[in-house]
Amino acid sequence: MCGIIGYIGNKPANEVIFDGLTRLEYRGYDSAGIAVVDNQKIHVRKDIGKLRNIRKLLVDDFSSDSSIGIGHTRWATHGRPSAFNAHPHGDCQTSLMVAHNGIIENFMKLKKRLASEGHEFKSETDSEVLAHLIESHYDGNLKSAVIEALKDVEGAYAIAVLHKNHPDELVCIRKESPLIVGLGNEENFIASDVTAILQYTRSVVYLDNFEGAVVKRDGVEFFTIEGEKVEKNAVQVEWNPVAAEKGGFSHFMLKEIFEQPQVIRNTIGGRTSEEEGKIYLEELRLTGPDIYRTQRIVIVGCGTAFYSGCVGKYLIEKLVQIPVECDLASEFRYRSPLVDANTLVIAISQSGETADTLAAVKEAKKRGAKVLGVVNAKESSMTREVDGLVYIHAGPEIGVASTKAYIAMLTALTLLALMLGKIRSVLDPEFVKEKIKELKILPQQIERVLDKHEEIKELASQFLHAKSFLYLGRGFNYPTALEGALKLKEISYIHAEAYAAGEMKHGPIALIDDEMPVMAIVTQSDVYDKTLSNLKEVQARSGQLIVVVTEGDGEIAHLTDCKIEVPAVSEILSPIINVIPLQLFAYYVADLRGLDVDQPRNLAKSVTVE
Ligand code: F6R
């Protein structure tokens, strides 16, 4: 997603910054900008499009002797891709500029307050409030103004700040979004990841949450958000350029699995009010009457997107109490579907370009249904076909096997179901408040599961030679089993099938023997006891059980030693956390088998043909 770079030294700042931004291109972006200070004046250049197309504006026609500046590549979240919305953003007098990654959750409240105090806004972004907030606290000390400004801010941020009165320093600080400081010889750097600066220095300081730095040519002073000085040690980065592109991970898939806590923060960021129990889905474009008129919902998608829709069915039926049907887009489009003006069709797609899903959207519209797109890629074909949108804000997904987009789809569908349930008066506002709170702590709970990656790798190493796997789940986690099996088969080429655990007795149980590993999701839920009984049937037939269980579950101990524990969460949120160990398991099986995880055979990232 967005990338930041800051430079202070003795080279032309815009050239160094442009070079750094090109090395952040792999994160995906739709616009970019650079600001420098020259002769006590700020000069800014920004535009939409690829860096190679706007190089003329940012470098060739931007002759400046400045050797201090900041730059940014933006992946639009709040506000469409445009030159106005591109970073860096300035205050009223263009005295200072800010490049920001993350989401300011209370920006609407802050913007209203600042506007009433006379601040004039030039963009639709949440980030611009930061520039005005810092302006309102500035009295000659930039570091203090930044610290004071952030006291009002809720959300995630990594920021770099440039001020015309301070041509010898940059200020940066972070909370939740990553930020590093690179140490050079009479030059120093700020960047959202090391890729941007590796060609200049390998000596890097990783800022922790709530830590910042005043970065000068000849030194860096680190501080905490309370303004206290803090000592930080530099580390020497030993990456080759390809590893650097992947942020140090061996594959994009693994990097994307580890990005998931941040992806959830981005998907919910700025869309909820915990105090009021409200959810805002800005591009939904469904009116009250549209929502009340809906008698049926049909969800369509392909592959992983379809499985997220299967979770959506459980969510919407429980929270909104509208009947939901879930259909593969490739089936829906050819089966004369019964949809009409009282049907809401929800089409889910990461790429927004999947041919079958696009055809299903067109078919549904032809039959008079309203169509809502749950989409990742901005400006994709699907965004132009649908009546309303819920962007999932997963950022660019490069690994062919979808991981973070699935998590973002589930999070977006949860927000949608809570919102519709509240509007249709099915849900009590207190319930919605409670779920918003739980959603917000989910990223930390997922981080705890990610911390178990070595344990999951060890487990995976025991099953490298299995010929076939069975995945079992029930209720909300039946789709988790489907998605887990899909991940395993597409990257490890091991046959894997998923069943609703209650179906075992109706056929698949015949497959069980001591060579058949069975991966079961049996976390605490309304169907826990039922699932446990199904697993006892597997154990009685010598099947090798691997289970995903809730932390502290004592009952499972006598069934198997192969278990992965996950933190306890509400049943409606459990598919979001339970799929994480399954993604890691599939990843390690494939990697340990020596396979090309990011480019599995026969698969393409975006299936634009039938
Ligand atoms: C599986 C996977 C595919 C996609 C499917 C739909 O890991 O990536 O199954 O989920 O091709 O793609 P989108 O979401 O782009 O429509």
Side-chain angles (χ1 to χ4, degrees):
M1 298 182 88
C2 309
I4 291 179
I5 175 156
Y7 175 72
I8 178 162
N10 36 43
K11 302 187 178 89
N14 57 339
E15 287 178 22
V16 175
I17 292 167
F18 186 85
D19 183 37
L21 293 178
T22 59
R23 287 165 207 273
L24 294 175
E25 276 195 304
Y26 75 94
R27 298 161 72 104
Y29 65 101
D30 44 55
S31 54
I34 294 178
V36 299
V37 177
D38 213 350
N39 287 327
Q40 295 242 313
K41 248 188 110 194
I42 289 205
H43 301 264
V44 199
R45 297 278 192 282
K46 42 191 196 176
D47 208 348
I48 49 171
K50 290 290 161 207
L51 284 165
R52 60 181 174 278
N53 298 331
I54 57 176
R55 188 190 157 90
K56 200 164 149 34
L57 177 78
L58 300 187
V59 182
D60 302 342
D61 292 350
F62 188 15
S63 70
S64 153
D65 291 334
S66 174
S67 53
I68 175 170
I70 57 175
H72 189 270
T73 43
R74 173 174 188 256
W75 167 274
T77 54
H78 292 72
R80 72 209 134 89
S82 71
F84 283 119
N85 288 335
H87 296 222
H89 288 290
D91 60 341
C92 298
Q93 309 300 327
T94 318
S95 303
L96 66 95
M97 299 302 288
V98 179
H100 166 233
N101 285 357
I103 291 178
I104 307 303
E105 287 182 10
N106 58 340
F107 87 96
M108 291 211 277
K109 206 163 109 192
L110 292 173
K111 192 167 177 173
K112 223 159 134 190
R113 191 188 86 199
L114 287 159
S116 74
E117 290 165 8
H119 290 263
E120 282 176 23
F121 287 81
K122 300 179 190 81
S123 79
E124 303 156 322
T125 66
D126 55 332
S127 308
E128 193 186 347
V129 296
L130 292 170
H132 294 274
L133 268 181
I134 297 170
E135 176 186 27
S136 70
H137 287 284
Y138 181 74
D139 63 2
N141 183 327
L142 186 55
K143 171 182 144 190
S144 306
V146 170
I147 290 175
E148 283 309 308
L150 291 175
K151 287 187 179 158
D152 289 339
V153 169
E154 288 163 25
Y157 51 79
I159 58 172
V161 189
L162 172 77
H163 198 294
K164 72 178 174 66
N165 297 348
H166 301 263
D168 296 316
E169 70 180 41
L170 295 170
V171 174
C172 66
I173 189 160
R174 67 158 287 216
K175 177 193 162 203
E176 280 159 19
S177 299
L179 201 64
I180 58 156
V181 175
L183 308 177
N185 185 9
E186 292 296 308
E187 59 179 359
N188 290 306
F189 306 81
I190 296 166
S192 41
D193 78 49
V194 286
T195 331
I197 57 169
L198 266 189
Q199 68 278 25
Y200 301 104
T201 179
R202 285 173 182 263
S203 179
V204 166
V205 177
Y206 288 85
L207 294 180
D208 284 325
N209 261 344
F210 300 113
E211 284 180 351
V214 178
V215 182
K216 303 191 177 189
R217 273 181 192 82
D218 54 359
V220 182
E221 180 199 309
F222 297 96
F223 62 86
T224 66
I225 196 149
E226 285 84 29
E228 305 294 329
K229 221 173 145 178
V230 66
E231 292 302 325
K232 299 287 292 178
N233 292 326
V235 293
Q236 294 300 313
V237 180
E238 302 291 344
W239 286 344
N240 65 38
V242 178
E245 276 206 354
K246 294 173 186 150
F249 289 95
S250 38
H251 293 98
F252 280 111
M253 181 182 175
L254 192 60
K255 172 175 170 278
E256 286 160 4
I257 290 174
F258 274 81
E259 275 173 5
Q260 293 179 119
Q262 188 57 39
V263 165
I264 295 178
R265 290 184 187 110
N266 292 345
T267 310
I268 58 181
R271 287 171 153 179
T272 59
S273 155
E274 209 174 306
E275 304 97 74
E276 296 166 85
K278 276 201 180 143
I279 288 165
Y280 314 94
L281 294 172
E282 53 296 3
E283 290 102 354
L284 194 64
R285 299 196 286 262
L286 288 182
T287 61
D290 288 335
I291 293 172
Y292 286 112
R293 193 170 54 221
T294 300
Q295 288 171 359
R296 219 172 121 242
I297 291 180
V298 178
I299 303 181
V300 293
C302 302
T304 290
F306 170 70
Y307 294 146
S308 79
C310 297
V311 176
K313 172 182 165 72
Y314 284 89
L315 281 167
I316 295 171
E317 289 194 338
K318 186 166 180 113
L319 302 179
V320 196
Q321 292 177 11
I322 297 180
V324 182
E325 204 182 314
C326 210
D327 212 346
L328 290 162
S330 53
E331 289 297 309
F332 177 91
R333 61 183 290 196
Y334 289 120
R335 72 168 167 84
S336 307
L338 295 178
V339 297
D340 58 20
N342 296 327
T343 314
L344 174 67
V345 172
I346 302 179
I348 309 179
S349 177
Q350 185 285 125
S351 61
E353 302 294 348
T354 301
D356 284 321
T357 315
L358 278 170
V361 167
K362 287 181 189 149
E363 185 64 34
K365 287 194 76 177
K366 203 167 82 192
R367 289 167 186 266
K370 278 250 174 222
V371 183
L372 185 65
V374 175
V375 180
N376 191 33
K378 301 267 161 77
E379 310 292 325
S380 57
S381 306
M382 192 177 298
T383 63
R384 289 188 287 275
E385 294 289 340
V386 294
D387 299 301
L389 278 161
V390 180
Y391 279 117
I392 63 170
H393 298 317
E397 192 176 60
I398 296 168
V400 167
S402 184
T403 52
K404 64 175 183 170
Y406 181 69
I407 290 293
M409 286 165 186
L410 297 188
T411 308
L413 288 165
T414 308
L415 291 177
L416 178 67
L418 287 169
M419 184 181 144
L420 296 180
K422 174 124 185 280
I423 294 176
R424 288 180 58 120
S425 308
V426 177
L427 300 179
D428 182 74
E430 287 307 312
F431 176 87
V432 179
K433 282 185 201 174
E434 200 181 294
K435 296 302 148 199
I436 293 176
K437 209 189 230 160
E438 290 178 26
L439 267 173
K440 288 191 174 171
I441 58 169
L442 203 52
Q444 292 148 39
Q445 293 171 309
I446 289 180
E447 271 153 16
R448 278 168 48 203
V449 181
L450 294 172
D451 285 344
K452 297 186 181 183
H453 63 278
E454 285 297 339
E455 192 186 309
I456 297 170
K457 184 175 180 179
E458 161 55 31
L459 197 59
S461 71
Q462 298 170 34
F463 293 92
L464 300 186
H465 305 295
K467 295 262 176 312
S468 189
F469 265 82
L470 215 55
Y471 278 65
L472 300 179
R474 283 187 92 125
F476 276 87
N477 286 292
Y478 167 41
T480 311
L482 289 162
E483 172 60 7
L486 177 63
K487 287 293 88 91
L488 186 73
K489 69 186 122 187
E490 67 184 332
I491 59 171
S492 75
Y493 317 142
I494 296 177
H495 171 248
E497 263 190 89
Y499 281 95
E503 267 293 291
M504 283 289 285
K505 289 198 265 320
H506 303 286
I509 200 161
L511 292 169
I512 305 288
D513 63 16
D514 59 4
E515 292 194 356
M516 173 65 91
V518 178
M519 173 75 82
I521 301 106
V522 59
T523 47
Q524 289 303 328
S525 72
D526 288 349
V527 286
Y528 174 80
D529 291 333
K530 304 271 173 220
T531 317
L532 208 58
S533 309
N534 302 136
L535 300 193
K536 285 182 182 156
E537 292 155 12
V538 172
Q539 191 208 24
R541 285 155 186 84
S542 308
Q544 303 178 54
L545 270 175
I546 314 165
V547 289
V548 176
V549 289
T550 307
E551 278 170 356
D553 183 327
E555 294 228 23
I556 219 83
H558 60 276
L559 279 185
T560 177
D561 293 333
C562 297
K563 60 171 186 183
I564 309 162
E565 291 190 327
V566 296
V569 300
S570 297
E571 189 171 4
I572 62 164
L573 303 184
S574 65
I576 307 181
I577 198 156
N578 290 349
V579 78
I580 310 282
L582 305 189
Q583 296 170 339
L584 283 169
F585 184 82
Y587 170 80
Y588 286 120
V589 170
D591 189 39
L592 293 169
R593 280 163 66 100
L595 299 169
D596 185 350
V597 173
D598 282 336
Q599 303 274 305
R601 71 183 179 207
N602 308 338
L603 294 180
K605 183 67 189 157
S606 180
V607 187
T608 53
V609 290
E610 252 195 271

